Amino acid sequence: SVFSLESSLRDVRKVQLKNITRKAQRQMRELAKKLGKKVSWEIVDDHIEVDKMIVEKLSDPLMHILRNCLDHGLEAPDERKKFGKDETGKITISAREEERNFILTISDDGRGIDLDKVREKAISNGFLTAEQLDKMPPGEVTKLIFTAGLSTAKKTTTVSGRGVGMDVVSKNIDELKGSIEVATEKLKGTDTIIS
């Protein structure tokens, strides 16, 4: 039947998500060494099979998010000790299927996103007024990181950013008809959820 043929063709196009997660992990290990940061990795359920095109298009956003985790999220070992944390930071990449969607979560146990800096940048760039920001719940403030030109990094490095912000990551996810959300807690870490 046409349905079974379409289903078979979809299956042929599927590849395991680990095609990008394992490659990303290798590259990030090298990066962690360059940055002088200690990091342990946990990859959960990346044997899930996803359409090859989606996996290929997720590669760049995943790398950008992981670079942000390493460069901006995870603290240096001595800084982590000052906060009473283990000097080795942790990054977790986990995947799960939910109905006909799959959800990819990238978590780190770093410093979290400084929402005060996000607010300051939004005001200084003329995106919003202080009054507008005061009325905005923290979850909405977090979403501002997807606005073009709203990086809170003190300087663009060759590691993260490279002139490319989370707005580009969000655009790439939109092109896949997906969504991206960020949950963060000061000194506890950040979760980035791609559906």
Side-chain angles (χ1 to χ4, degrees):
S1 75
V2 173
F3 176 76
S4 63
L5 179 62
E6 282 177 4
S7 182
S8 297
L9 286 171
R10 269 197 303 272
D11 289 344
V12 167
R13 286 198 318 253
K14 285 188 171 185
V15 294
Q16 289 193 346
L17 192 60
K18 72 179 178 185
N19 286 9
I20 58 166
T21 57
R22 303 300 157 108
K23 178 183 166 196
Q25 184 187 15
R26 283 193 302 273
Q27 290 182 10
M28 292 302 117
R29 275 197 179 119
E30 292 300 311
L31 187 54
K33 280 182 198 169
K34 283 183 190 171
L35 292 170
K37 294 184 178 180
K38 294 182 178 179
V39 60
S40 67
W41 294 88
E42 184 178 11
I43 298 181
V44 183
D45 288 342
D46 66 343
H47 59 275
I48 289 174
E49 291 191 336
V50 184
D51 187 286
K52 187 179 179 186
M53 182 204 68
I54 292 173
V55 169
E56 286 169 358
K57 288 204 171 185
L58 270 179
S59 183
D60 285 347
L62 176 63
M63 295 302 269
H64 184 84
I65 292 163
L66 289 172
R67 276 191 291 267
N68 276 350
C69 290
L70 278 171
D71 201 17
H72 304 309
L74 294 184
E75 309 92 337
D78 57 342
E79 193 181 347
R80 288 180 66 83
K81 276 185 180 174
K82 281 183 204 166
F83 294 136
K85 295 180 174 184
D86 189 305
E87 64 178 25
T88 301
K90 184 174 183 182
I91 294 177
T92 304
I93 304 171
S94 61
R96 70 181 196 277
E97 289 180 287
E98 225 172 69
E99 295 172 8
R100 293 186 59 193
N101 294 323
F102 89 95
I103 296 157
L104 184 66
T105 304
I106 302 102
S107 304
D108 71 67
D109 70 345
R111 61 176 60 91
I113 297 167
D114 188 332
L115 295 183
D116 290 335
K117 279 187 183 173
V118 173
R119 288 183 185 95
E120 284 169 25
K121 196 76 174 189
I123 293 166
S124 67
N125 284 12
F127 294 129
L128 294 163
T129 65
E131 293 76 25
Q132 287 171 315
L133 284 161
D134 286 343
K135 293 174 188 166
M136 201 177 272
E140 291 300 309
V141 175
T142 305
K143 287 179 184 174
L144 292 172
I145 66 167
F146 298 112
T147 307
L150 210 140
S151 173
T152 57
K154 289 185 179 73
K155 63 182 192 296
T156 298
T157 68
T158 55
V159 174
S160 64
R162 300 161 300 134
V164 175
M166 287 296 281
D167 58 307
V168 175
V169 171
S170 177
K171 185 172 171 269
N172 288 345
I173 302 302
D174 283 347
E175 285 171 7
L176 289 169
K177 309 264 187 288
S179 66
I180 183 167
E181 292 175 42
V182 173
T184 190
E185 192 175 343
K186 196 170 184 178
L187 298 180
K188 295 284 175 75
T190 302
D191 294 340
T192 304
I193 305 111
I194 299 169
S195 305

